[in-house]
Amino acid sequence: MTLKVFILVLIAEACSAGTHILFKHGVNTLEPGSMRSMRGYLRFVGSVLTNLSVWAGLLVVACGMAVWLLVLAHAELSLAFPLDSIQYIFILLASSLLLKERINRDRIAGTFFIIVGIVLVSLK
Amino acid sequence: MRWFFSGDSGSDGAYRHMKKTKGKLTLTVFILIVLTDIIESFAELFWKKGTLATGIDNVTVANSAEFMSRLLTGSGFLTGLSLYVVNFFLWVTVLSRVDLSVAFPTGSTSYIIVALLSMIFLGEHISLYRWSGIICIIVGIYFISKSANAEGPAA
């Protein structure tokens, strides 16, 4: 992996995390979506599609995908694996600091186990 | 599965039911999260296929316009894009029900699914490392679901 590809992967990962945060920020103002009734779900879809944060998230994900396509064209994806686990720490911090989610000990422990698990699974 | 996920069924109206289970990792939400991860893997696969089908393996400033026009009109890219659109709606539904710090790590279930599928269908050997990784991920998701289901409705 060249430095150029490494930086591209980092940018793509940052876009991905930013998108999740913007989506969650937007959806937090809405009633939860339920798939039990068609009409109720369509109302949910409507409120999602008129939400500014959600559109900001879509813009960021579009940038991220463009960068990701360039990465894919350069191949050698197996080395991008460890960077995926950085994403879990980033999301945990952003959930607490930006989205004010209540992070307790179990959630930190769970995230830690998952990161270790992913690293182990990606070892051959 | 009851010990793992919080109660998922009930005879109440849908709305009261949602109020009651908001913030909790129910079996329905869990299945939705796993589904989005499986769909995402397929979407990535189609996009990879799409970039290969352009026949350009080294994108430079000079050939980037040609690369993009071949890519955007290819079937791999378009199939991947429609899967991403489906995934978007599934994912915002999930996010409207649970914390991001619950939904995101729960998606790591896909690593287990990929490992098991490649064992069953491709006859791939799962090493001791990978088995211990799978166990770690299961333990992690257990803690995440415990943290989501213990504290009642989330902010």
Side-chain angles (χ1 to χ4, degrees):
Chain A
M1 184 186 276
T2 62
L3 184 65
K4 185 180 149 201
V5 177
F6 178 77
I7 290 168
L8 285 176
V9 170
L10 270 189
I11 294 171
E13 297 272 348
C15 287
S16 161
T19 300
H20 288 299
I21 293 154
L22 285 166
F23 281 175
K24 180 60 179 162
H25 176 74
V27 161
N28 270 344
T29 59
L30 312 176
E31 285 293 337
S34 167
M35 291 175 162
R36 280 164 191 247
S37 88
M38 191 63 174
R39 188 141 46 103
Y41 193 67
L42 286 179
R43 202 180 322 120
F44 173 74
V45 167
S47 53
V48 164
L49 290 179
T50 50
N51 190 289
L52 203 67
S53 273
V54 169
W55 280 104
L58 286 172
L59 191 73
V60 173
V61 84
C63 298
M65 279 175 172
V67 176
W68 199 232
L69 283 173
L70 291 176
V71 175
L72 286 176
H74 282 91
E76 201 56 68
L77 272 182
S78 56
L79 287 163
F81 239 126
L83 287 168
D84 253 349
S85 21
I86 293 170
Q87 184 100 302
Y88 286 82
I89 298 168
F90 194 70
I91 292 277
L92 188 70
L93 288 175
S95 298
S96 165
L97 300 173
L98 301 174
L99 297 167
K100 312 285 179 217
E101 289 179 2
R102 275 175 292 176
I103 309 296
N104 55 21
R105 225 169 37 192
D106 281 343
R107 202 165 296 181
I108 295 169
T111 305
F112 173 75
F113 272 109
I114 286 169
I115 292 170
V116 173
I118 290 172
V119 171
L120 285 173
V121 165
S122 60
L123 292 173
K124 282 295 159 187
Chain B
M1 291 301 244
R2 269 304 160 92
W3 57 274
F4 210 101
F5 300 104
S6 118
D8 208 6
S9 58
S11 51
D12 331 16
Y15 184 72
R16 267 179 59 202
H17 172 80
M18 273 175 0
K19 279 272 171 205
K20 208 172 61 192
T21 58
K22 181 157 197 277
K24 305 202 169 183
L25 187 64
T26 62
L27 187 57
T28 312
V29 174
F30 180 76
I31 290 171
L32 279 178
I33 293 173
V34 174
L35 196 62
T36 57
D37 274 283
I38 294 172
I39 294 174
E40 183 167 350
S41 318
F42 276 101
E44 272 174 20
L45 213 66
F46 277 109
W47 274 22
K48 178 73 194 173
K49 257 181 78 179
T51 57
L52 290 175
T54 59
I56 298 171
D57 58 358
N58 191 15
V59 184
T60 59
V61 180
N63 66 15
S64 62
E66 181 62 25
F67 173 76
M68 285 313 272
S69 79
R70 284 190 203 176
L71 181 73
L72 296 180
T73 53
S75 66
F77 175 80
L78 294 173
T79 312
L81 186 67
S82 9
L83 289 177
Y84 275 119
V85 171
V86 171
N87 236 14
F88 164 73
F89 287 108
L90 292 179
W91 185 240
V92 286
T93 307
V94 167
L95 287 183
S96 76
R97 304 290 298 271
V98 290
D99 279 353
L100 178 60
S101 55
V102 169
F104 190 79
T106 304
S108 62
T109 318
S110 59
Y111 288 92
I112 301 175
I113 295 170
V114 168
L116 293 181
L117 286 182
S118 52
M119 178 181 73
I120 297 165
F121 293 107
L122 304 174
E124 242 179 50
H125 171 71
I126 299 189
S127 67
L128 203 60
Y129 280 129
R130 290 186 106 183
W131 278 121
S132 40
I134 288 171
I135 290 164
C136 268
I137 292 174
I138 293 171
V139 171
I141 291 171
Y142 166 72
F143 275 115
I144 296 280
S145 102
K146 190 168 159 237
S147 85
N149 295 343
E151 56 180 74

